[in-house]
Amino acid sequence: MEFINTYFKNVPPLKEEFIESTIQTLYMVGVTALIAGVLGIVLGVILVATDRGGILEHRTLYNILDKVINLFRSIPFIIMLAVIVPFTRLIVGTSIGTTAAIVPLSIGTIPFFARQIQNALVEVDPGVIEAAQSMGSSPLEIIFRVYLKEGLNGIIRASSLTIINLIGLTAMAGAIGAGGLGNLAISRGYNRFQDDVTLVATIIILILVFISQAIGNYLIRKTSH
């Protein structure tokens, strides 16, 4: 207790704020992961299916989608936060707060996750796909029974990586009033020269990252058998 009072004297009075900020971070990560998870998988599957030699080859659609994803992946997230403020306000009615932050977080995460899914699915053995086609499977059946099933390990690995990246983005979103641990670290820790607050907020963020990685590794081991 003496150690905490000596080196982390600003932390105990902020106990409630730390709890609230952690919940806000989990809220932003959870909702964004759900949105980006669904849309990212859909876009990743479309990229693989419409690519050259894909089961639904369509070069025009692939090229458009490929360039759009590259475009959004190229925009630094801190700039995107500011650029899409009017769009965020249109969607949720405000540009400040945890719910508002979900809009730029989703837009920043979906292209990243879609590309990760594409990379995971191209690793599926082409022989398995050809076998499914020779048995008369429809493109939809191949997507669900071959791509998503055979590429499950890669999808889990991509999901784990994306969530870890997303936790980092929520901390960045905190810089412009999104709430969460990033906001606490900057508004109370950095701006008020309370380094102990910044350190504890960072440690909690790292713990969330380690837990996400551990869950991902566990799921990969379970699905590998």
Side-chain angles (χ1 to χ4, degrees):
M1 195 64 185
E2 185 179 345
F3 175 81
I4 294 176
N5 291 330
T6 301
Y7 296 99
F8 299 93
K9 60 182 179 182
N10 297 304
V11 174
L14 298 177
K15 179 182 176 183
E16 294 301 321
E17 287 190 47
F18 270 105
I19 294 173
E20 182 182 357
S21 297
T22 302
I23 293 173
Q24 289 175 340
T25 296
L26 292 174
Y27 168 69
M28 288 188 286
V29 171
V31 176
T32 304
L34 183 62
I35 296 172
V38 173
L39 296 180
I41 287 177
V42 170
L43 292 175
V45 168
I46 293 175
L47 282 170
V48 172
T50 58
D51 196 4
R52 190 186 303 278
I55 57 175
L56 294 170
E57 182 175 337
H58 193 299
R59 297 299 298 166
T60 302
L61 177 59
Y62 175 85
N63 286 329
I64 292 174
L65 197 55
D66 183 61
K67 287 177 174 53
V68 169
I69 287 176
N70 283 342
L71 173 65
F72 279 94
R73 286 194 63 192
S74 301
I75 301 174
F77 183 67
I78 194 71
I79 295 176
M80 181 183 294
L81 284 168
V83 169
I84 68 166
V85 162
F87 180 70
T88 302
R89 197 174 289 129
L90 177 68
I91 297 295
V92 297
T94 180
S95 60
I96 298 175
T98 52
T99 300
I102 290 172
V103 177
L105 285 171
S106 297
I107 294 176
T109 304
I110 289 170
F112 176 82
F113 187 49
R115 190 65 78 192
Q116 296 298 318
I117 292 297
Q118 179 190 17
N119 292 336
L121 297 185
V122 295
E123 298 296 326
V124 175
D125 185 357
V128 180
I129 299 171
E130 292 174 3
Q133 288 175 316
S134 66
M135 290 187 291
S137 298
S138 67
L140 202 59
E141 289 174 330
I142 294 174
I143 288 171
F144 282 99
R145 295 179 181 176
V146 179
Y147 274 123
L148 297 183
K149 185 177 179 181
E150 297 294 325
L152 184 57
N153 274 356
I155 292 173
I156 293 173
R157 194 173 292 108
S159 301
S160 179
L161 176 64
T162 301
I163 288 175
I164 291 170
N165 183 65
L166 180 56
I167 292 172
L169 293 183
T170 63
M172 198 182 300
I176 63 164
L181 292 165
N183 181 65
L184 181 63
I186 292 171
S187 64
R188 296 300 297 259
Y190 180 76
N191 291 341
R192 301 188 185 187
F193 304 103
Q194 297 176 351
D195 294 337
D196 53 341
V197 174
T198 304
L199 178 60
V200 172
T202 304
I203 290 173
I204 297 174
I205 290 172
L206 290 175
I207 290 172
L208 295 178
V209 169
F210 293 149
I211 291 174
S212 300
Q213 185 65 65
I215 293 174
N217 292 341
Y218 171 77
L219 292 175
I220 289 173
R221 286 198 301 273
K222 293 291 287 183
T223 56
S224 295
H225 296 296

